[in-house]
């Protein structure tokens, strides 16, 4: 949460910072602000609301300068208003700071500073840090970087910060702990800093990801230097990123979410490209190869994740248990980390995360690692924190996902978990050769089948029009379509603000059936497979109570078609792979309903893409 971006060099900083904030707006959009060094002045502008509000606010103001820091906020401490927006000034207004994270001991520090006469202008935890830096610099007579280091020694919590001072006009000082920060090494001796590489990539692909407790100083005369807070100098590891700028643009679509839904044939293909070959009959995930035997021998796999990624894990549970016969437990990372979970020797803990930065998932992994588990990651963002702390892992290769609602990340996660389950099942001998080969062939056919599903867009739009004013909705599925139901419900509620619940179809009669009346749309996955007849019975139970049934069925289905109010057909596939197809109509349905209700689909209220606080 919160996006930070900074620039120092020979170009005008303001346009770079504004564009950077727009790219990072998915991380939070409660308020935005910028501080710029111009002719010896440190000008600071901030405004509640989106980056567009900030832009409007700065019209006619002095936004010149070659060094600046900027921030888009997802509020934690202090409500989203102008005064709590970042950057924050120090007491003398000579230093400004932007921060992503939470200073946990801010209360104690604030009281101490207040008792010494410091006046606070905001309710944030961040302001404490900038006062502390200035106080130390004045008292100790040290350079800005050293003052930042000494201040951070007093802080507990999470931070990614960038500090700009009137008295050090050629320098930016940055540091991170548990919140991500990337430094881009520009082509003209200039530097870009940001929460992730998206604001940087159009200027340079040479980047350094800061590690926990590292402090970076970028200086127009002295270049880039790196320390840790123990004052040990480090050698920066410069990586070359392959990310393409087009991946960050809407590419003609009205919203990122719609673009990302339509990218799925490609993103699923990219996910298995080079990792499976149906003709030759192999599947291999290079990233976890070294740990394959450990997984084969494992008595138990624990999967930890949040939100949509947790739903992907539930699909993974079906795959691993059925194909590889390994006991799987799927845990909400936030619950797992605060229990005293039993981790046995030989347990494998797999974290699934699009961003690779989700604070709870990261903390759950650290806990599992400390208890001796082998920890693996399934992440989308290359170089993210989770991908760096795990023993091994597999990237999903879905490409940047900008819409806050996860779409292509989910199908890519399910694809990677399918590949993993197949690889382990094959090695373990728990899958027949015939089944193995037919599943590989089916998996290779999935991108083309997703393209077919996308052709139902107009029909889905009609259904959306009919149910856009619903106040509640139920989503039902059985087996691995139960997580599809959960994911369908989450998509609807998070972007259209309609209350929706996902249930295993058979559970309905243990409570939720009481909700059914002629107003209630019930979205059901009723595709061909083991539980088809059971789901048909559940549909009848809903119809008997006058509920509206909108069903996802396998092409050619007649039985459900005769009972349902509407059906969306998907191509036939192996039962294990149905989630990869059945999820897509639910994504489109939520998208259209949200657009029809006038909601901001890419930036739904109160949400942020990357949840880097607990
Ligand atoms: O980056 P992660 O996959 O770890 O994020 C976890 C959840 O915050 C995320 O899946 C969230 O539920 C989705 N954006 C919802 O669409």
């Amino acid at each position: 949460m919160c996006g930070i971006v900074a620039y120092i060099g020979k170009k005008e900083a303001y346009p770079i910072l504004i564009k950077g904030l727009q790219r990072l707006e998915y991380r939070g959009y409660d308020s935005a602000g910028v501080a710029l060094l111009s002719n010896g002045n440190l000008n600071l502008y901030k405004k509640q609301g989106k980056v567009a509000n900030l832009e409007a606010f700065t019209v006619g103001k002095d936004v010149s300068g070659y060094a600046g820091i900027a921030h888009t906020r997802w509020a934690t401490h202090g409500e989203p208003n102008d005064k709590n927006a970042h950057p924050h000034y120090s007491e003398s207004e000579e230093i400004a700071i932007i921060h992503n994270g939470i200073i946990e001991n801010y209360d104690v520090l604030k009281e101490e500073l207040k008792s010494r006469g410091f006046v606070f202008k905001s309710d944030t935890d961040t302001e404490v840090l900038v006062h502390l830096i200035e106080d130390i610099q004045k008292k100790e007579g040290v350079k800005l970087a050293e003052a930042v280091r000494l201040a951070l020694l007093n802080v507990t919590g999470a931070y990614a910060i960038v500090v700009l001072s009137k008295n050090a006009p050629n320098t930016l000082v940055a540091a991170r702990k548990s919140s991500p920060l990337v430094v881009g090494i520009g082509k003209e001796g200039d530097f870009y800093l940001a929460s992730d590489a998206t604001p940087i990539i159009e200027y340079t692909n040479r980047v350094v990801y800061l590690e926990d407790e590292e402090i970076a100083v970028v200086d127009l005369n002295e270049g880039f230097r790196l320390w840790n807070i123990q004052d040990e100098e480090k050698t920066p590891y410069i990586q070359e990123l392959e990310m393409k700028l087009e991946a960050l643009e809407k590419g003609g679509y009205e919203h990122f979410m719609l673009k990302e839904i339509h990218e799925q044939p490609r993103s699923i293909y990219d996910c298995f490209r080079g990792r499976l070959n149906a003709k030759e009959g192999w599947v291999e995930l290079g990233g976890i190869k070294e740990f394959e035997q450990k997984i084969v021998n494992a008595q138990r796999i624990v999967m930890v994740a949040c939100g949509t990624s947790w739903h992907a894990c539930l699909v993974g549970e079906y795959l691993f248990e059925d194909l590889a016969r390994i006991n799987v437990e799927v845990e909400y990372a936030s619950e797992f980390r605060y229990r005293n979970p039993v981790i046995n020797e030989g347990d494998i803990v797999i974290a699934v995360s699009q961003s690779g930065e989700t604070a709870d998932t990261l903390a759950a992994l650290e806990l599992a690692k400390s208890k001796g588990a082998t920890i693996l990651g399934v992440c989308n963002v290359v170089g993210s924190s989770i991908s760096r702390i795990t023993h091994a892992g597999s990237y999903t290769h879905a490409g940047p996902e900008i819409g806050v609602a996860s779409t292509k990340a989910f199908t890519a996660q399910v694809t990677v978990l399918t590949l993993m389950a197949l690889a382990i099942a094959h090695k373990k001998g728990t899958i027949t050769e015939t089944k193995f080969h037919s599943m590989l062939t089916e998996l290779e056919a999935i991108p083309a089948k997703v393209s077919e599903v996308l052709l139902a867009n107009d029909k889905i739009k009609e259904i959306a029009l009919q149910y856009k004013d619903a106040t509640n909705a139920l989503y039902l599925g059985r087996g691995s379509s139960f997580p599809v139901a959960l994911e369908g419900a989450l998509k609807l509620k998070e972007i259209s603000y309609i209350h929706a619940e996902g249930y295993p179809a058979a559970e309905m009669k243990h409570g939720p059936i009481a909700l059914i009346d002629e107003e209630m749309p019930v979205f059901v996955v009723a595709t061909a497979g083991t539980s088809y007849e059971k789901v048909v019975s559940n549909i009848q139970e809903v119809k008997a109570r006058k509920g509206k049934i909108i069903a996802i069925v396998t092409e050619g289905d007649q039985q459900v078609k005769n009972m349902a109010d509407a059906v969306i057909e998907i191509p036939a596939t192996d039962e294990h792979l149905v989630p990869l197809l059945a999820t897509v109509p639910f994504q489109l349905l939520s998208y259209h309903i949200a657009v029809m209700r006038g909601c901001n689909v890419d930036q739904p209220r109160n949400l942020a893409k990357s949840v880097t606080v607990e």
Side-chain angles (χ1 to χ4, degrees):
M1 348 284 272
C2 300
I4 64 182
V5 58
Y7 173 77
I8 189 161
K10 296 193 182 94
K11 297 185 249 197
E12 280 291 335
Y14 182 75
I16 296 171
L17 298 177
I18 289 293
K19 204 176 212 186
L21 286 184
Q22 284 160 345
R23 293 218 192 281
L24 288 176
E25 218 172 4
Y26 71 87
R27 299 180 69 92
Y29 29 81
D30 289 337
S31 60
V34 60
L36 295 149
L37 262 185
S38 174
N39 302 321
N41 297 318
L42 181 54
N43 296 321
L44 193 152
Y45 311 108
K46 47 194 198 174
K47 211 66 206 147
Q48 183 180 348
K50 303 205 167 171
V51 177
N53 289 9
L54 173 69
E55 274 189 281
F57 179 64
T58 54
V59 171
K61 301 197 165 67
D62 179 8
V63 290
S64 62
Y66 302 101
I69 59 178
H71 188 272
T72 176
R73 180 169 186 246
W74 187 86
T76 56
H77 292 65
E79 62 179 89
N81 56 23
D82 292 355
K83 73 170 184 183
N84 290 333
H86 297 216
H88 292 284
Y89 269 137
S90 62
E91 182 100 324
S92 67
E93 302 197 348
E94 288 178 357
I95 302 177
I97 192 170
I98 47 174
H99 170 221
N100 169 26
I102 293 179
I103 307 298
E104 283 166 11
N105 59 338
Y106 85 100
D107 235 358
V108 182
L109 295 171
K110 190 170 180 175
E111 284 317 307
E112 208 264 323
L113 287 163
K114 270 165 86 178
S115 71
R116 292 199 284 118
F118 281 82
V119 177
F120 283 78
K121 299 188 186 93
S122 77
D123 309 318
T124 65
D125 50 333
T126 306
E127 201 185 344
V128 165
L129 195 49
V130 73
H131 288 321
L132 202 55
I133 292 168
E134 179 162 80
D135 187 43
I136 290 173
Q137 198 176 14
K138 285 197 171 142
K139 276 212 263 185
E140 311 278 332
V142 290
K143 282 187 159 182
L144 182 64
E146 179 61 0
V148 169
R149 187 183 77 80
L150 294 173
L152 291 175
L153 289 174
N154 291 290
V155 155
T156 52
Y159 52 80
I161 55 165
V162 187
V163 183
L164 175 65
S165 167
K166 217 163 142 166
N167 304 316
N170 293 323
T171 308
L172 292 176
V173 180
R176 79 151 265 177
K177 186 181 176 198
S178 303
S179 294
L181 194 59
V182 192
V183 181
I185 319 283
K187 294 173 184 148
E188 300 161 24
D190 49 357
F191 298 96
Y192 304 80
L193 294 97
S195 300
D196 65 42
T198 55
I200 297 177
I201 204 71
E202 69 184 279
Y203 309 105
T204 176
N205 65 345
R206 300 181 70 230
V207 299
V208 176
Y209 285 92
L210 295 200
E211 299 289 341
D212 268 355
E213 301 199 332
E214 281 186 345
I215 302 172
V217 178
V218 292
D219 187 287
L220 292 181
N221 302 319
E222 291 169 20
F224 178 18
R225 297 184 68 193
L226 200 60
W227 284 268
N228 60 19
I229 62 168
Q230 287 75 37
D231 207 18
E232 296 155 336
E233 186 142 15
K234 309 272 292 280
T235 310
Y237 167 58
I238 302 177
Q239 295 185 37
E240 299 214 345
L241 290 181
E242 283 171 15
M243 197 188 292
K244 297 226 168 33
L245 191 57
E246 309 84 75
L248 307 174
E249 313 279 356
K250 284 191 195 144
Y253 286 92
E254 207 181 323
H255 298 99
F256 280 111
M257 183 182 178
L258 190 61
K259 177 188 173 223
E260 286 154 8
I261 292 173
H262 279 86
E263 276 176 344
Q264 290 176 106
R266 201 244 344 117
S267 56
I268 295 173
Y269 173 71
D270 281 351
C271 186
F272 66 62
R273 187 159 49 102
R275 289 170 162 175
L276 84 85
N277 188 317
K279 239 192 215 145
E280 293 172 13
W282 57 262
V283 51
E284 189 176 296
L285 284 159
I288 58 156
K289 187 97 195 100
E290 203 191 322
F291 290 87
E292 234 175 51
Q293 193 55 48
K294 255 193 163 166
I295 308 176
V296 166
N297 297 341
Q299 295 300 308
R300 188 174 76 135
I301 294 174
V302 179
M303 294 191 185
V304 291
C306 304
T308 290
S309 300
W310 185 78
H311 298 155
C313 292
L314 290 178
V315 179
E317 180 179 18
Y318 284 93
L319 291 162
F320 270 94
E321 293 202 342
D322 196 31
L323 300 174
R325 306 304 299 144
I326 303 175
N327 169 30
V328 176
E329 282 164 30
V330 178
E331 300 267 4
Y332 281 118
S334 54
E335 289 299 313
F336 179 82
R337 62 181 289 200
Y338 286 115
R339 288 210 313 271
N340 184 11
V342 178
I343 306 281
N344 303 311
E345 209 184 309
D347 279 351
I348 305 284
V349 176
I350 303 179
V352 177
S353 171
Q354 188 285 130
S355 61
E357 301 293 349
T358 301
D360 284 322
T361 311
L362 204 51
L365 270 187
E366 272 158 0
L367 176 69
K369 196 179 193 180
S370 73
K371 287 178 178 269
T374 298
I375 58 168
L376 306 177
V378 175
C379 297
N380 191 33
V381 177
V382 176
S384 54
S385 301
I386 290 177
S387 68
R388 282 182 291 132
I389 71 152
T390 39
H391 292 115
S394 294
Y395 283 118
T396 53
H397 297 309
E401 191 180 67
I402 312 288
V404 165
S406 229
T407 52
K408 64 174 180 172
F410 174 78
T411 45
Q413 290 164 344
V414 171
T415 305
V416 168
L417 293 173
T418 309
L419 294 172
M420 272 189 188
L422 278 170
I424 300 302
H426 197 228
K427 196 168 166 96
K428 209 174 161 188
T430 49
I431 186 169
T432 64
E433 283 298 318
T434 321
K435 177 76 181 165
F436 180 66
H437 285 273
S438 85
M439 276 199 70
L440 292 189
T441 309
E442 265 311 310
L443 197 49
E444 275 191 341
I446 287 292
K449 292 186 179 182
V450 172
S451 297
E452 258 186 73
V453 177
L454 291 169
L455 295 176
N457 185 46
D458 287 347
K459 174 157 200 200
I460 295 170
K461 207 166 169 180
E462 280 168 30
I463 298 173
L465 190 61
Q466 223 169 326
Y467 295 102
K468 71 176 175 37
D469 297 320
T471 45
N472 295 290
L474 264 187
Y475 283 73
L476 304 176
R478 292 185 87 132
S480 59
S481 291
F482 162 50
V484 173
L486 290 175
E487 178 58 10
L490 176 62
K491 284 295 85 91
L492 188 69
K493 69 184 127 187
E494 72 178 324
I495 60 168
S496 72
Y497 320 137
I498 295 174
H499 171 241
E501 298 293 341
Y503 270 95
E507 266 298 299
M508 195 186 47
K509 52 187 162 298
H510 299 286
I513 200 162
L515 295 168
I516 301 217
D517 59 18
E518 54 277 17
E519 303 295 321
M520 173 73 105
V522 182
F523 300 96
V524 191
V525 184
T527 47
T530 351
S531 1
Y532 178 76
E533 293 303 337
K534 304 275 177 210
V535 176
V536 168
S537 307
N538 300 139
I539 290 176
Q540 267 157 349
E541 289 156 13
V542 174
K543 285 312 295 174
R545 284 149 188 94
K546 298 195 167 53
K548 298 277 182 291
I549 288 285
I550 305 93
I552 294 180
V553 297
T554 309
E555 248 162 27
D557 178 284
Q558 264 314 323
Q559 200 178 349
V560 174
K561 211 178 231 172
N562 293 339
M563 293 186 278
D565 297 86
V567 295
I568 302 158
E569 291 189 325
I570 61 170
T573 187
D574 185 288
E575 204 175 341
H576 293 94
L577 305 179
V578 166
L580 290 170
L581 301 181
T583 304
V584 178
F586 285 160
Q587 295 170 344
L588 283 170
L589 185 83
S590 307
Y591 170 79
H592 289 303
I593 290 181
V595 170
M596 286 168 191
R597 289 166 70 95
C599 302
N600 185 338
V601 282
D602 283 338
Q603 295 171 344
R605 70 181 178 213
N606 304 339
L607 289 175
K609 181 77 183 160
S610 181
V611 186
T612 56
V613 292
E614 293 188 37

